[in-house]
Amino acid sequence: MALADSTRGLPNGGGGGGGGSGSSSSSSEPPLFPEIVELNVGGQVYVTRRCTVVSVPDSLLWRMFSQQQPQELARDSKGRFFLDRDGFLFRYILDYLRDLQLVLPDYFPERSRLQREAEYFQLPELVRRLGAPQQPGTGPPPPHPRRGVYKEGSVGGGGDEGLPLGYLDPEQQEGASAGAPSPTLDLASRSPSGGTGGPLLTPSQSLDGSRRSGYITIGYRGSYTIGRDAQADAKFRRVARITVCGKTSLAKEVFGETLNESRDPDRPPERYTSRYYLKFNFLEQAFDKLSESGFHMVACSSTGTCAFASSTDQSEDKIWTSYTEYVFCRE
């Protein structure tokens, strides 16, 4: 009878032991991250699957999202996982993690910076590919054999975009060697390196090697509220965004790292854009950068609209919204 009692007690004891082993196995389970992960990388928000960010073993993201607990990682004010890195270049890191293929757009000037980001995220294969010589077709298009100086928007340029300043076609070269004057040859001879065989002018250089002339337009939209007591109750709101319009090469020269290119990331340097904006919200800071680069203001325009805060009670505060543009020139 005692034996039967002890036999009947075995499952209970086994169940207790099983519970203990279950507790130890649960502690070794991977961290509980959501299947869909939201990342804030330098202010740029990315939404992807957890399996994507952990696709490369031993990488930084693999360790963060498989070896650490969610509460151990930094988050922003909205609960997204925060990484203090270049948010624009992270799009290429994420693309690589999806299928382990490196695909970069043409006219991509940030290759060395992207390689630095790949080193930070500890992706050795991506670092190796970025350090390899570029394949043909990844740089600017070759010059057309029958065109001279290219001018964007001109009839003679036609569809032959991206021809470098100072390019000579074979007929012009023959005429120049025979002593015939050639305006295009003169342009090439005034390149910064001197002579016709040296490097051609960069998009932000003028013929004498100095900075190239051009226009940049700065725009911003602001709003403020005026109460019934007019100016005494004026409440100004923060400028949401400062936009930059102009030639890509000039905008990058003036604003550098403070220029946000996420809305138009692959724009060639000789093209124009109206989709850039600045990473800061102070107009005076933008004006200082333009002044330091030799620009001066030549025009300004502004428009404004007024609306009541409430559509039913027009005795309440009035909200004024304005849009202002400043045109800067460098001669």
Side-chain angles (χ1 to χ4, degrees), residues 2-199:
L3 179 60
D5 292 340
S6 63
T7 304
R8 285 195 298 269
L10 284 176
N12 294 332
S21 62
S23 175
S24 61
S25 62
S26 63
S27 62
S28 61
E29 291 179 356
L32 299 177
F33 284 93
E35 177 62 23
I36 304 299
V37 178
E38 293 189 34
L39 304 174
N40 179 347
V41 185
Q44 299 294 321
V45 177
Y46 293 89
V47 181
T48 184
R49 290 182 175 273
R50 176 181 170 273
C51 60
T52 300
V53 296
V54 299
S55 60
V56 177
D58 297 324
S59 65
L60 176 64
L61 292 173
W62 178 84
R63 288 200 303 273
M64 289 175 59
F65 291 94
S66 66
Q67 304 299 307
Q68 293 183 267
Q69 299 293 330
Q71 60 270 20
E72 297 176 350
L73 303 180
R75 294 178 182 252
D76 64 7
S77 59
K78 295 186 178 181
R80 307 183 187 99
F81 297 105
F82 179 75
L83 292 165
D84 190 15
R85 302 301 297 180
D86 192 309
F88 164 66
L89 294 177
F90 187 76
R91 61 182 296 196
Y92 302 107
I93 299 292
L94 194 58
D95 283 344
Y96 173 77
L97 293 175
R98 290 190 176 108
D99 52 17
L100 302 183
Q101 298 293 325
L102 175 62
V103 180
L104 298 177
D106 294 337
Y107 312 103
F108 186 71
E110 311 289 350
R111 194 178 186 93
S112 60
R113 292 181 56 197
L114 180 57
Q115 185 176 11
R116 184 180 63 186
E117 295 297 303
E119 292 172 352
Y120 174 82
F121 287 104
Q122 299 174 12
L123 301 168
E125 178 60 22
L126 180 57
V127 173
R128 185 189 66 80
R129 296 185 187 184
L130 290 169
Q134 299 187 38
Q135 298 298 323
T138 59
H144 193 282
R146 301 291 298 171
R147 287 290 190 269
V149 178
Y150 168 71
K151 181 177 181 181
E152 185 173 351
S154 63
V155 177
D160 303 321
E161 300 182 358
L163 296 183
L165 185 63
Y167 169 73
L168 297 179
D169 64 22
E171 294 180 358
Q172 289 174 319
Q173 291 178 355
E174 292 176 1
S177 60
S182 171
T184 311
L185 177 61
D186 181 63
L187 295 181
S189 65
R190 295 168 65 184
S191 64
S193 60
T196 59

Side-chain angles (χ1 to χ4, degrees), residues 228 308-318:
R228 288 185 295 273
F308 290 98
S310 174
S311 59
T312 58
D313 186 3
Q314 296 189 356
S315 64
E316 295 185 358
D317 295 349
K318 295 180 180 179

